[in-house]
């Protein structure tokens, strides 16, 4: 017989979970003890529960398996909620296991009970795929297996198990536990994909828009074959920037309001949009879904029908289907589909080459942040992992990174949340310790989770944290200038002394302020082992590229 807490740790270790992220608490003491001393599992102690969830998100995004978080009761669980919202909107499989007061102290309808007790499940039901409080120790296997299945099947997302203190400590016999048997999913395809084949084959200027559904469905190889078979150019959504390398012959950049320039022209020219595993949001297609050729036909393949039924979005051919099944049919080659799109592809290539993000005019002082990212492109290899934050640091990364085969990029895809780069970078570094992580954040964003600098230094992770010093919240100042009148700023225009910050958190420090030595300095910094905080002094008046306004 073993504790419920030990059963959880054993089970997750057995299915391949190598890292668990936590912040210790009395209400989760049995859970903390079991996971911290579990063989073949690392425990990473964050300084805030939301940051712990972000770390688990990065782990899940990077290796495709479930990320695991342990939180204590009351404020521990509620702190984790903002992280779970992030996992929800970014469709990331994360399991939160929260502590709770003793079962006999739990009370429905009461705002708080016991010592720090709180009805966390009823507060997270709408932002999780599965959430339950474990009231019977013998039900742990059933609920754990169901949670893991729900997190990873269909459209992925977070799940939550809340375990009262006495249940955590209860003794159970694993051999006697009942498991979970999911219903078999139907393999029947209730769509006329032959018609979809014909529409794609007959189009003169088709354009594929692909999202992270390609990675979530593990169909990157099938997607490559699809592009080659139908000779169709493609552009990515924000969450799928690293699915195809920048130099891929059928890839022409990132679309959307903070994307590359060429896709903005291609969306206006295409006569057929093929949207695969992407939410196709307003940030991508315009406030009125008006940033593409309105005469174009639209095909949208998504496992979540709600994405195809959004107000104002009129999809001609909605296909609610898993991409595995879609490609299985679409990639069946046939002599009847002999496709020649030489002229269309040449047009796409010309737009791609004629509209670079970075040119020689940006090589100047003060450092242009796009030029900074271009220098990173020149000194990184295919094993680097990029992580970036919100605001201008996100935009410059998405618009200037030229990701190579094998490189990964992790960010807040739906919310563009401030302060995530540091915990995401920690999660990535813990998950893939053989790779160096390059994190790009802003002088404002870093303050939201600055406490995790101690987690970074304490674990001696190979993260190079670049802080763009552009004089405060540059992207917010731009919004304030345009919407409520120039010169009226509500944020703090003072920036931290980052050398002092680095010293306080026992980190190496570098400052970059000259474009002429930038690339050589980056090479030297990346050759170092361990964490380094690097301040990059950039132009505070620099404009962000806005393809919607081209």
């Amino acid at each position: 017989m073993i504790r419920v807490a030990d059963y959880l740790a054993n089970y997750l270790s057995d299915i391949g979970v190598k890292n668990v992220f936590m912040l210790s608490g009395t209400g989760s003491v049995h859970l903390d003890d079991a996971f911290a001393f579990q063989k073949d599992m690392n425990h990473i102690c964050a300084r805030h529960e939301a940051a712990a969830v972000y770390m688990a998100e990065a782990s899940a995004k990077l290796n495709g398996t479930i990320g695991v978080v342990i939180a204590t009761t009351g404020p521990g669980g509620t702190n984790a909620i903002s992280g779970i919202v992030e996992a929800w909107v970014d469709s990331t499989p994360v399991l939160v296991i929260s502590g709770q007061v003793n079962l006999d102290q739990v009370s429905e309808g009461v705002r708080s009970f016991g010592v720090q007790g709180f009805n966390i499940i009823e507060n997270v039901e709408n932002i999780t795929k599965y959430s339950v409080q474990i009231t019977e120790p013998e039900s742990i296997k059933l609920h754990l297996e169901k949670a893991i299945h729900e997190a990873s099947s269909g459209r992925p997302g977070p799940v939550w198990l809340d375990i009262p203190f006495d249940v955590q400590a209860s003794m159970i016999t694993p051999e006697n536990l009942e498991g979970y048997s999911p219903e078999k999913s139907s393999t029947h395809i209730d769509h006329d994909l032959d018609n979809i084949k014909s529409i794609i084959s007959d189009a003169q200027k088709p354009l594929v828009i692909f999202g992270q559904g390609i990675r979530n469905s593990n169909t990157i190889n099938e997607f490559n074959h699809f592009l080659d078979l139908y000779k169709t150019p493609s552009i990515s959504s924000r969450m799928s920037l690293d699915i195809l390398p920048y130099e891929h012959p059928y890839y022409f950049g990132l679309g959307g309001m903070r994307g590359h320039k060429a896709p903005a022209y291609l969306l206006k020219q295409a006569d057929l949009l093929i949207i695969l595993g992407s939410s196709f949001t307003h940030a991508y297609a315009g406030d009125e879904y008006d940033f593409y050729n309105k005469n174009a036909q639209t095909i949208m393949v998504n496992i979540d029908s709600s994405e195809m039924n959004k107000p104002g979005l009129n999809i001609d051919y909605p296909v609610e289907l898993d991409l595995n099944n879609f490609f299985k049919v679409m990639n069946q080659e046939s002599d009847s589909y002999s496709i020649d799109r030489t002229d269309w592809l040449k047009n796409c290539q010309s737009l791609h080459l004629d509209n670079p993000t970075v040119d020689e005019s940006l090589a100047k002082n003060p450092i242009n942040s796009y030029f900074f990212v271009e220098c990173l492109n020149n000194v990184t290899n295919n094993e680097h992992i990029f992580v970036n934050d919100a605001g201008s640091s996100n935009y410059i990364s998405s618009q200037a990174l030229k990701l190579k085969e094998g490189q990964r990029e992790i960010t807040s895809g739906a919310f563009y949340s401030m302060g995530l780069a540091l915990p995401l970078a920690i999660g990535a570094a813990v998950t893939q310790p053989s790779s160096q992580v390059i994190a790009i954040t802003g002088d404002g964003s870093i303050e939201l989770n600055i406490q995790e600098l101690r987690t970074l230094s304490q674990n001696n992770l190979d993260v190079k944290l670049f802080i763009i010093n552009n004089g405060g919240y540059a992207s917010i100042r731009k919004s304030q200038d345009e919407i409520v009148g120039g010169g009226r700023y509500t944020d703090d225009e003072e920036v931290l002394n980052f050398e002092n910050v680095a010293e306080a958190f026992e980190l190496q420090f570098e400052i970059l302020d000259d474009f002429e030595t930038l690339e050589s300095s980056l090479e030297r910094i990346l050759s170092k082992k361990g964490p380094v905080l690097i301040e990059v002094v950039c132009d505070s008046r620099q404009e962000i590229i806005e393809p919607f306004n081209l």
Side-chain angles (χ1 to χ4, degrees), residues 119-222:
N119 279 317
I120 193 70
I121 294 301
E122 64 187 47
N123 284 275
V124 299
E125 285 176 334
N126 291 329
I127 52 171
T128 55
K129 292 190 67 181
Y130 183 71
S131 54
V132 65
Q133 185 177 89
I134 308 298
T135 58
E136 297 289 341
E138 292 76 16
S139 69
I140 186 62
K141 182 179 182 181
L142 185 150
H143 290 299
L144 177 60
E145 290 183 348
K146 184 172 183 180
I148 293 170
H149 172 78
E150 290 293 332
S152 305
S153 64
R155 184 175 184 176
V159 292
W160 194 303
L161 299 180
D162 188 49
I163 308 183
F165 190 84
D166 48 348
V167 176
Q168 297 171 35
S170 294
M171 303 300 290
I172 56 175
T173 304
E175 292 79 8
N176 295 339
L177 301 181
E178 178 185 353
Y180 173 69
S181 297
E183 295 182 7
K184 288 185 178 181
S185 57
S186 173
T187 58
H188 176 67
I189 299 175
D190 191 23
H191 295 280
D192 186 0
L193 294 189
D194 285 336
N195 184 45
I196 298 296
K197 277 187 179 183
S198 298
I199 293 168
I200 295 174
S201 300
D202 293 342
Q204 298 299 306
K205 298 178 180 180
L207 181 65
V208 170
I209 299 163
F210 64 94
Q212 72 159 339
I214 300 290
R215 187 179 297 282
N216 286 347
S217 60
N218 195 29
T219 56
I220 294 177
N221 290 337
E222 291 80 358

Side-chain angles (χ1 to χ4, degrees), residues 238-506:
R238 184 65 190 86
M239 289 285 285
S240 57
L241 193 66
D242 60 359
I243 286 178
L244 297 180
Y246 186 78
E247 299 296 336
H248 191 284
Y250 292 109
Y251 178 57
F252 298 99
L254 170 68
M257 63 183 291
R258 292 292 187 266
H260 294 115
K261 299 174 186 177
Y265 295 113
L266 295 178
L267 283 165
K268 294 291 188 181
Q269 295 178 14
D271 63 3
L272 173 66
L273 301 184
I274 309 160
I275 307 160
L276 304 178
S278 170
S279 296
F280 203 56
T281 64
H282 291 294
Y284 201 94
D287 287 340
E288 306 293 332
Y289 292 110
D290 55 355
F291 197 66
Y292 61 92
N293 177 10
K294 296 305 290 185
N295 293 318
Q297 289 187 298
T298 52
I299 298 169
M300 189 171 185
V301 184
N302 203 299
I303 201 168
D304 186 349
S305 62
S306 63
E307 295 291 355
M308 297 182 279
N309 297 318
K310 292 177 289 195
L313 177 61
N314 298 311
I315 300 297
D316 297 303
Y317 302 95
V319 180
E320 184 183 353
L321 192 64
D322 179 87
L323 285 169
N324 277 286
N325 290 325
F326 176 77
F327 289 129
K328 201 172 290 183
V329 175
M330 297 299 293
N331 288 355
Q332 294 173 357
E333 299 188 38
S334 171
D335 293 338
S336 62
Y337 297 111
S338 179
I339 300 169
D340 181 3
R341 295 207 169 98
T342 304
D343 291 341
W344 175 227
L345 287 167
K346 282 183 178 178
N347 175 73
C348 296
Q349 187 67 28
S350 295
L351 286 170
H352 188 52
L353 295 175
D354 293 345
N355 291 279
T357 299
V358 181
D359 57 35
E360 294 180 357
S361 68
L362 302 187
K364 59 185 178 180
N365 284 326
I367 292 173
N368 181 285
S369 53
Y370 288 112
F371 179 77
F372 158 67
V373 176
E374 178 70 3
C375 290
L376 280 176
N377 288 327
N378 296 336
V379 300
T380 51
N381 59 47
N382 58 5
E383 294 185 354
H384 277 99
I385 299 169
F386 290 90
V387 176
N388 55 70
D389 221 306
S392 56
S393 63
N394 189 300
Y395 305 146
I396 62 163
S397 298
S398 62
Q399 293 173 326
L401 278 175
K402 298 176 180 176
L403 295 175
K404 304 174 179 69
E405 185 80 44
Q407 288 184 338
R408 292 295 309 274
E409 194 246 13
I410 298 173
T411 190
S412 169
F415 274 4
Y416 291 80
S417 301
M418 290 180 63
L420 264 63
L422 177 54
L424 288 175
I426 291 170
V430 167
T431 302
Q432 199 162 307
S434 61
S435 297
Q436 188 176 77
V437 178
I438 295 175
I440 304 173
T441 186
D443 50 16
S445 290
I446 185 61
E447 295 190 42
L448 273 73
N449 276 302
I450 199 169
Q451 75 283 344
E452 301 307 327
L453 287 174
R454 181 54 184 150
T455 310
L456 178 63
S457 63
Q458 187 176 50
N459 289 279
N460 195 34
L461 301 171
D462 193 9
V463 173
K464 305 302 181 274
L465 179 64
F466 293 91
I467 300 177
I468 304 296
N469 180 349
N470 55 11
Y473 295 164
S475 63
I476 302 301
R477 288 200 305 270
K478 178 177 174 58
S479 296
Q480 291 170 340
D481 283 342
E482 293 177 349
I483 299 171
V484 294
R488 290 157 52 104
Y489 304 133
T490 57
D491 58 274
D492 185 357
E493 296 180 58
E494 297 288 328
V495 298
L496 294 175
N497 183 318
F498 291 110
E499 184 172 10
N500 289 348
V501 170
E503 182 180 3
F505 286 100
E506 301 179 6

Side-chain angles (χ1 to χ4, degrees), residues 8-186:
L8 284 162
N10 290 346
Y11 186 98
L12 291 169
S13 177
D14 288 344
I15 66 169
V17 174
K18 300 298 183 185
N19 302 293
V20 60
F21 304 90
M22 62 171 64
L23 197 160
S24 302
T26 301
S28 59
V29 69
H30 292 289
L31 297 168
D32 299 338
D33 177 70
F35 280 90
F37 295 99
Q38 171 65 33
K39 185 181 179 182
D40 299 326
M41 184 178 284
N42 300 317
H43 70 286
I44 297 86
C45 295
R47 269 65 189 170
H48 193 282
E49 289 86 355
V53 182
Y54 303 143
M55 294 173 194
E57 280 187 80
S59 181
K61 288 180 178 181
L62 198 56
N63 65 14
T65 59
I66 195 164
V68 178
V69 177
I70 308 299
T72 191
T73 189
T78 57
N79 281 347
I81 287 178
S82 59
I84 283 298
V85 173
E86 188 74 26
W88 176 252
V89 297
D90 273 5
S91 303
T92 310
V94 171
L95 166 64
V96 173
I97 306 173
S98 61
Q100 185 57 274
V101 301
N102 283 326
L103 189 58
D104 62 4
Q105 296 175 357
V106 174
S107 179
E108 293 184 12
V110 177
R111 294 192 179 188
S112 182
F113 41 77
V115 179
Q116 296 183 304
F118 181 69
N119 279 317
I120 193 70
I121 294 301
E122 64 187 47
N123 284 275
V124 299
E125 285 176 334
N126 291 329
I127 52 171
T128 55
K129 292 190 67 181
Y130 183 71
S131 54
V132 65
Q133 185 177 89
I134 308 298
T135 58
E136 297 289 341
E138 292 76 16
S139 69
I140 186 62
K141 182 179 182 181
L142 185 150
H143 290 299
L144 177 60
E145 290 183 348
K146 184 172 183 180
I148 293 170
H149 172 78
E150 290 293 332
S152 305
S153 64
R155 184 175 184 176
V159 292
W160 194 303
L161 299 180
D162 188 49
I163 308 183
F165 190 84
D166 48 348
V167 176
Q168 297 171 35
S170 294
M171 303 300 290
I172 56 175
T173 304
E175 292 79 8
N176 295 339
L177 301 181
E178 178 185 353
Y180 173 69
S181 297
E183 295 182 7
K184 288 185 178 181
S185 57
S186 173

